[in-house]
Every structure is written in C-alpha cells, then in structure tokens.
Amino acid sequence: MSTRVVIDPLTRIEGHLRIELETEGGAIRKAWSETTQFRGIETIVQDRDPRDAWAFVQRICGVCTSVHAIASVVAVENAIGANPPRQARLIRDIVLASQEVQDHVIHFYHLHALDWVNVPSAATADPAKAVEFARSIGSTWKGNTIERMTAVRDTVQQILDSGQLSIFTGGYWDHPDYRLPAEANLMAVAHYLDALEFQRSMIRIGTVFGGKNPHPNFLVGGMACTIDLDRSESINQVQLDQIADWVAETRDFVASCYLPDALAIMGVYKDYFDIGAAQPNYLAVGLAGATFGGDPGASRTTSAHTEVKPGVLLDGDLSTVHPFDPTKIAEYIASAWYTYQDGDDAGLAPAQGETTPQYTGPKPPFEWLADADKYTWCKAPRYDGKPVQVGPVARILLAYAQGHQRTCELVDDAAGKLGITVDQLNSTAGRTLARAVEAMISAEALAEVTFPQLVDNLKKGDIDVFDNSRWDPSTWPDKGEGFSFVEVARGNLSHWVTVEDGKVARYQAVVPTTWLAGGRDADGQQGPYEESLAGAGSHPLHDAAQPLEPLRTIHSFDPCMSCAVHVLDVEGAELQVVTS
C-alpha cells in the first residue's frame, strides 16, 4: 500500500516549491512538482517602453537579476535592430561569467552541500586529520590549516552548546545516510564558511560594471557604465586592477577548493550516480554565458567558447548533436493554473505565449494538490514535444559530444577518478559534479579570455560601450519581434518580446526552472523534477519524516522558483499597484 508524502516548503531554494510523493516499499512510485506562487512579470511590462523592460524583468529573481536584464536587453535589441559595441558585449560576458561562478559556488556550499555534509559531526573531528584529508583529495586551498580547522571546530561546538543551530537549524542530522568521516565534515564546513567570504568578490565584479547589486544597471544598445582610465567617476585603472585580483581569486577558489570538494564528496556518495536520472534529452545553446539575439542558427554569439555550438541531445544518444531550432519550443498548461484561448491542451510558442492565470485548486490550507489535473503555477515547456533537461549537465554533455577539449579533459579526469561513465552524469550526483566542472571552465575563461580581451581593447583606446543609433523610437519598425537565448547558471534562459508602436505588446520569459520544474503535459509526460524522482520507480525514500533522499535529488537541479513563479495572495487581494 502506498504512502503519501508532502515536502512543503522544499528548503534551501529560492522561492517556494512543494513536492508531493507516493512511496511504497522504501521507494518513490509517483511524484508531482508544484510551484505555489504565480509570476506575473510578463503582464507588468506590457505597454511599457521596451528600453525599460530590463529594469522590471530582472525582478523576476532575487539572485539572477543580471542575467534576466541581459536577456531582456538582447531580446529588445533583436526586435529593434540595435547593435551594441564590442566592449559592451564583453562587459556583459564578464558579468555573466562572474554571476555564474558565484551561483554555482552558492549552490554547492550553501544550498546543497548540507544534504551530504553532517555539520554536528564536525565538532568531533581532529583538525590535523581534517587538513590531511583536504590534502589527500588534492585541495590546495589556503584555508586548509590546523589553526583554521581548529577555529571552525570550536565554532561548531559553541553553536551546539548554545542549543540553537542558527543557520544549520532544520537539518536531518540524525539521518543514518550521512557518510562522510568527521574530518571530511569539518573540512567541508570550513569551506562552507570560506565560500561566504569568497562570493563577495564575485558580486563586486558585477557591481563595478552595473553600479550596484542586486539589480545592477544595463542599457539597450550597450552598457550604462562609462570607461575612462584616468577619471575617478568612471571605470578606471584602479577598478580594473581590483577586478583582475577578484578574477584571479575566483579561479584559485574553484581550482583549489570547490572542484576537489565536489569530487571527494560525490565519490563517497557514488551510488547517487545511479539515482535521480531525468529524461535523457538535453538542450543548450553553448557553454555558460553563450548569448544570442534571435535564432542561434543565424545570429551572433559573444561566448568565450564559440566552438561549442547550440544543439540538442535526444533519447540518451550522446553521439549525435541535433541542430537547435527555436520554433520547436512550446509551453503547455495541462497541469498549470492558466488558460489558453485555443484550449488548455494546446502548446504555444513563446512568441505567441499567453499569461492568463486561472486558479482552480483547493482553497488553502490544503493537504493534497495532485488529485486534480492542474496542480502548479509552472508551465511545462517542451522541445519538439519532449521534456528536456537544461543547465550545467546539458551544457557539459553538449560540449563533450562536440569534443570541446577542456570539457573532455575535466570530465574524463573526473570519470576516471570516480569510476563512472559519462552518461551517468544524468543523475543526482552527476548534476552536482557537472556544475563544478563548468565553474572551472568558466573561471578559466574569465581569467584567460574574456577579461584580458576587454583590457587589451582598452589599451588600444577602445572605450566605446554604447551605440545610440537605435535609441530613438522613430528609428524602430512599427512592429518588431525579438528574442534572446542566454546560458545562465541554472540553464537555458530565453526572453521573447513584441514591440508595436514603440511599446511592449507581448512579453514572455522561458526560464531554466520552468523547463525543469514544470508538471505533466497534455500527453501525461512528467517534467524533469518529477521524472528524476519517480521515473525509475526505485528512487529511495526510507523515512518519510526525514525525506533527505528526494531533497538531494531536487537540490541537484538548483531550483529557483522565483524565476518560474511570482507572488500569490491566498485571499485574491491586490498586493501592489505599479504605475509608470
């Protein structure tokens, strides 16, 4: 007899995600992914000046503000025919790269690592042995000292003695499946705290170019910042020197700390390379940071890795890269609380997308949502009718399939150390490892390609970051449609805009978490979250009161529900009126 299990809220994510499960015999048989907030940003920007859209749509998320802003300005530029200068594109690439590495580090240490790392156990560790463990896994991080490990161990003990676990409250610390030795737990907790310090460097890079964080400034046609190496009120030599230091720090942290930690921890939980597989279909337009205005088959990219082309891998075949066709994307609402003019079983291309909420679920508080066909606010995107995975695992597999040298080196090295095959990256542990591999590639590209290119151009006198030839609306067509594809930390992000008579007539955003968290479509196909939990019928869940195993799997996707949904008042009250 099956047992119903509800995880709500699913913690250590951005926004609210609810998972409903049916389990039997210690395994998950059925799963439903439910986002319980509504996102209405697309309707807010209608009838507004398209040059302002980025300022509104970057509020889609509280973390990924920059990436939504860049996706928006690129889509608008595609619609009105704007062409930003080379330096502006490089600055956007630097912002994207720094944000992506910061996001991956936050995910691994602060949103996901505690699924594997037992914090209270660290208080029992020998600091000297913790240093030995760090060295044994190849970690050369400067924080691997006996003094540092001792201080962290004592801090953990003080927290335990206080009786209040502070930021570590709510963990399933008595769960028997925490497997790391105490010394490994101490090392990981020390690196968890170091990562909090490190991520400030990443934020500073975006802040210099965007003026502030969160919600930095961008500009249709270029960048809002100015560059003059000799003036204090512009980006100058002093700030460039600071950025150079932060870029070097980024590469050092990822190489000496993050990647070795990910390899070591996933090696202890090696069976999770056989747990949590979702549909073996993958979509990406390149490695992280790849940016296209319009059809990637015909438009330019500013990625540091132009050799990795847009593509799709289908049905687990990693040897055949299919051409990417944006016209094959459609969003379905068979399980979502929306309505379409053509019927709720239809699929709409994003350029013709509709955002018409129609809540038909039970009145809160409720115990179970999945008894009804509609159970989520998240639409279900499909590519050529298929559920696909996006994100680091899709990008790494795509790059590997195309023979990208650095990707192949890192993946083959990891696979050799762990004793796994490449196709096992489609798993809970594989998604976590792919993110660390990608962070290494991005940190190297930032240090060796993108930032040096910007500096070299500046040395040649190129300080142009804005093209105003399309700023005046009188230069725009009466009607223009544009879209963008940007590979961001969590996956493939696209914004779609229609501009008519100088205003936004239609706007849609298809975000990474929508691709992954969406529910069943009209054909009953599960979304990737659901498939990863229930697809094989063997995903473990041994204790419904401590659902650590499904948390590990869903966290491996790095959920960001704020991107997929927005605010809902349970009484239906108007929360805020926004006026221009």
Side-chain angles (χ1 to χ4, degrees):
M1 181 177 178
S2 63
T3 300
R4 286 184 166 186
V5 179
V6 177
I7 309 174
D8 183 16
L10 196 145
T11 56
R12 294 205 301 278
I13 61 171
E14 306 299 332
H16 293 275
L17 174 64
R18 174 186 172 100
I19 296 290
E20 293 186 355
L21 305 168
E22 286 186 0
T23 69
E24 188 173 357
I28 298 170
R29 306 300 187 192
K30 295 181 180 179
W32 295 265
S33 170
E34 299 157 346
T35 52
T36 54
Q37 293 176 310
F38 165 66
R39 185 188 74 196
I41 293 290
E42 290 99 332
T43 59
I44 289 176
V45 296
Q46 284 182 351
D47 296 326
R48 294 187 180 276
D49 189 323
R51 295 169 298 184
D52 295 339
W54 66 268
F56 291 91
V57 299
Q58 72 169 303
R59 266 70 179 179
I60 285 175
C61 184
V63 176
C64 315
T65 55
S66 298
V67 302
H68 281 289
I70 291 174
S72 179
V73 296
V74 173
V76 171
E77 287 165 356
N78 181 239
I80 65 175
N83 189 28
R86 174 179 58 180
Q87 291 292 72
R89 297 184 188 192
L90 281 170
I91 291 172
R92 292 177 187 176
D93 289 347
I94 293 169
V95 171
L96 286 171
S98 61
Q99 198 278 340
E100 180 239 338
V101 176
Q102 180 212 7
D103 202 299
H104 285 352
V105 168
I106 291 174
H107 170 261
F108 179 71
Y109 286 103
H110 307 133
L111 303 180
H112 191 33
L114 303 189
D115 296 337
W116 318 99
V117 175
N118 190 321
V119 175
S121 165
T124 66
D126 181 333
K129 291 183 178 178
V131 173
E132 290 178 13
F133 180 86
R135 290 172 179 167
S136 73
I137 65 171
S139 176
T140 57
W141 177 235
K142 59 187 178 183
N144 297 334
T145 66
I146 294 176
E147 293 77 13
R148 172 62 174 163
M149 297 298 172
T150 301
V152 172
R153 182 200 61 183
D154 294 346
T155 297
V156 173
Q157 187 59 59
Q158 290 170 6
I159 292 173
L160 295 175
D161 292 343
S162 73
Q164 298 181 353
L165 291 181
S166 183
I167 59 174
F168 302 124
T169 299
Y172 301 130
W173 306 124
D174 295 331
H175 198 288
D177 199 39
Y178 278 109
R179 308 175 193 169
L180 294 175
E183 283 69 29
N185 286 319
L186 176 57
M187 178 204 72
V189 173
H191 293 174
Y192 174 108
L193 298 173
D194 293 340
L196 286 173
E197 294 289 327
F198 159 76
Q199 64 164 299
R200 289 191 305 177
S201 299
M202 295 288 84
I203 293 173
R204 285 168 173 161
I205 294 175
T207 303
V208 168
F209 290 117
K212 59 189 178 67
N213 190 288
H215 308 305
N217 296 311
F218 292 91
L219 183 66
V220 171
M223 285 297 294
C225 59
T226 59
I227 302 177
D228 187 329
L229 300 183
D230 298 320
R231 301 185 63 174
S232 61
E233 60 267 32
S234 302
I235 293 175
N236 53 38
Q237 187 62 57
V238 173
Q239 291 171 319
L240 290 174
D241 290 343
Q242 290 175 326
I243 293 172
D245 290 341
W246 296 329
V247 167
E249 182 186 351
T250 298
R251 180 165 59 176
D252 176 51
F253 184 85
V254 175
S256 67
C257 191
Y258 177 17
L259 185 57
D261 283 359
L263 280 166
I265 293 174
M266 290 304 99
V268 173
Y269 293 92
K270 190 176 168 182
D271 52 320
Y272 272 85
F273 284 102
D274 296 313
I275 294 173
Q279 294 90 345
N281 307 314
Y282 312 94
L283 182 158
V285 297
L287 281 170
T291 303
F292 293 90
D295 187 342
S299 64
R300 52 141 175 92
T301 178
T302 61
S303 167
H305 303 287
T306 54
E307 65 272 33
V308 180
K309 306 300 182 185
V312 181
L313 301 168
L314 298 173
D315 303 321
D317 180 3
L318 303 182
S319 64
T320 304
V321 179
H322 300 270
F324 171 62
D325 181 356
T327 66
K328 293 184 177 180
I329 297 175
E331 290 192 294
Y332 293 82
I333 58 168
S335 60
W337 292 308
Y338 299 92
T339 186
Y340 281 168
Q341 290 183 0
D342 292 338
D344 292 356
D345 288 343
L348 289 183
Q352 286 77 49
E354 301 172 9
T355 305
T356 307
Q358 186 178 61
Y359 181 70
T360 56
K363 183 178 180 180
F366 42 75
E367 295 183 356
W368 192 256
L369 287 174
D371 284 335
D373 290 337
K374 290 178 179 280
Y375 53 83
T376 179
W377 280 112
C378 192
K379 295 179 181 178
R382 297 289 185 265
Y383 181 83
D384 201 17
K386 294 177 179 290
V388 301
Q389 293 190 64
V390 298
V393 71
R395 292 192 289 257
I396 290 298
L397 288 175
L398 180 70
Y400 191 90
Q402 295 183 35
H404 181 252
Q405 182 177 351
R406 186 57 173 148
T407 301
C408 293
E409 289 173 357
L410 291 168
V411 169
D412 288 342
D413 179 68
K417 290 177 178 175
L418 295 167
I420 62 170
T421 56
V422 175
D423 62 333
Q424 285 181 279
L425 291 180
N426 181 18
S427 63
T428 302
R431 283 183 287 270
T432 303
L433 178 62
R435 194 168 279 104
V437 168
E438 184 179 66
M440 190 69 257
I441 296 169
S442 296
E444 290 175 345
L446 181 62
E448 299 170 8
V449 180
T450 316
F451 184 64
Q453 283 183 357
L454 178 76
V455 174
D456 286 345
N457 294 337
L458 291 175
K459 290 178 180 176
K460 297 172 184 175
D462 187 353
I463 59 172
D464 185 12
V465 295
F466 177 57
D467 182 336
N468 66 357
S469 61
R470 288 285 183 170
W471 182 252
D472 190 329
S474 66
T475 66
W476 303 350
D478 293 338
K479 180 178 180 179
E481 293 186 349
F483 57 98
S484 63
F485 285 95
V486 186
E487 286 295 338
V488 303
R490 290 176 173 84
N492 186 272
L493 171 66
S494 58
H495 281 221
W496 307 69
V497 62
T498 301
V499 178
E500 288 186 23
D501 300 325
K503 295 183 177 180
V504 174
R506 185 192 297 270
Y507 204 101
Q508 289 289 309
V510 184
V511 306
T513 300
T514 315
W515 281 104
L516 299 168
R520 289 157 173 77
D521 56 30
D523 293 329
Q525 297 180 104
Q526 300 180 116
Y529 284 8
E530 297 171 337
E531 181 73 11
S532 70
L533 294 172
S538 58
H539 192 294
L541 200 177
H542 294 297
D543 182 358
Q546 298 189 95
L548 182 61
E549 300 93 339
L551 285 180
R552 288 170 171 168
T553 292
I554 296 301
H555 285 163
S556 73
F557 287 97
D558 193 6
C560 187
M561 312 317 295
S562 294
C563 281
V565 297
H566 219 260
V567 179
L568 168 70
D569 183 275
V570 296
E571 302 297 332
E574 190 174 72
L575 297 176
Q576 182 72 43
V577 175
V578 179
T579 58
S580 59

